[in-house]
Amino acid sequence: MKGAADTKKVYLLAHPAGHSVSPAMHNAAFERLGIDAHYQALDVPADRLAATVESLRSAAVLGANVTVPHKLAVMPLLDSLSDAARSVGAVNTIVNRDGELHGDNTDAAGFTRALVDDAGVSLRGKKAVMLGAGGAARAVAYALLTAGVARLDVYNRTRERAEQLAGMFAHIGTIDPLLDDNLHDTVRGADLLVNTTTVGMGHVRNDLQEGDGASPLPLHSLPQRGFVCDIIYRPRKTKLLKDAEAQGLATQNGLAMLVYQGAESFRRWTGRDAPIEVMMEAADRGLG
Ligand code: ATR
């Protein structure tokens, strides 16, 4: 008989470790596939990060997820990095390969699979516009360019950050900062619009269900025919997505990206395809 001592461990390294739906999502998947493993969130302050990462080398540990505020700080503590982790400049997944720690980033692959597998959007040759140039935008830019979009225009409140981001990824594909004067026409003609800014998000102390009611774009500047994606999942429907739907556009929120990045991490830890439906249901329930 197997005891708890045989149960493999996966950890989430976070600080604080509060609101994540990842434990519910992964434990539901382990249970469905009959994998004797358990996923647990750990509250890891910065001064404990190195020691905690070191402990992941144990044979009892399959790996970990890494989230705010450790996605960058963890990188020099690992033995190797995937191309995605290196290009995005952040690690969200650690895989324990017989005591060697490999850093990966599944946010980009998760974003692509959510669009392609869940929403049925094809990306190759398409004109995409991305709003935002922060940390989340880096994963989305890498995802879209490696998926073969024809061009990616990046609009950000602070133009310098859009320029910087375009410079980071110019070796992968056509990516340009978008200026105010061209915003309206470029978005109107886009096949795909992705919001990566925090505009529209619910705040912990405000209303998580409704969000802040703001949209990163005025109504008249939405795409005429394109698909609109918001990587926010709290609230499930931001003002941007409501506006897009009111115009008859197809949309997707950030829940699918959350689930598919989890599914990609799951596959790296276990070698098994993740049960997407089970994870989707658990994540959806976890959001309340
Ligand atoms: P994340 O890791 O979630 O991407 P981030 O790196 O802080 O978070 O980036 C937040 C993004 O939302 C940035 O693009 C930011 O624009 P700036 O670079 O100009 O700060 C954008 N953002 C946040 N609040 C905004 C607002 N009120 N209006 C427009 N853009 C906003």
Side-chain angles (χ1 to χ4, degrees), residues 67 82 125 130 152 197:
T67 189
S82 69
M130 179 173 77
L152 175 60
T197 76

Side-chain angles (χ1 to χ4, degrees), residues 8-90:
K8 299 287 188 188
K9 305 287 194 295
V10 180
Y11 295 108
L12 170 63
L13 315 185
H15 184 64
H19 300 280
S20 175
V21 301
S22 291
M25 190 164 81
H26 286 290
N27 286 327
F30 288 141
E31 192 174 327
R32 172 58 63 95
L33 296 191
I35 296 172
D36 188 13
H38 187 255
Y39 186 109
Q40 184 188 346
L42 296 180
D43 188 343
V44 183
D47 63 353
R48 294 281 311 147
L49 183 64
T52 307
V53 168
E54 206 47 38
S55 73
L56 301 176
R57 298 180 192 278
S58 156
V61 177
L62 297 177
N65 273 144
V66 184
T67 189
V68 181
H70 302 311
K71 283 185 172 190
L72 273 72
V74 81
M75 295 176 77
L77 304 173
L78 305 174
D79 301 309
S80 59
L81 295 173
S82 69
D83 284 347
R86 227 184 279 279
S87 299
V88 173

Side-chain angles (χ1 to χ4, degrees), residues 113-137:
R113 277 193 67 195
L115 274 181
V116 175
D117 294 4
D118 199 64
V121 173
S122 71
L123 294 171
R124 186 156 295 279
K126 296 295 167 64
K127 285 182 285 183
V129 173
M130 179 173 77
L131 307 176

Side-chain angles (χ1 to χ4, degrees), residues 132-137 156-158 161 196-199:
N156 194 51
R157 176 178 62 180
T158 311
R161 289 185 87 190
T196 72
T197 76
T198 51
V199 180

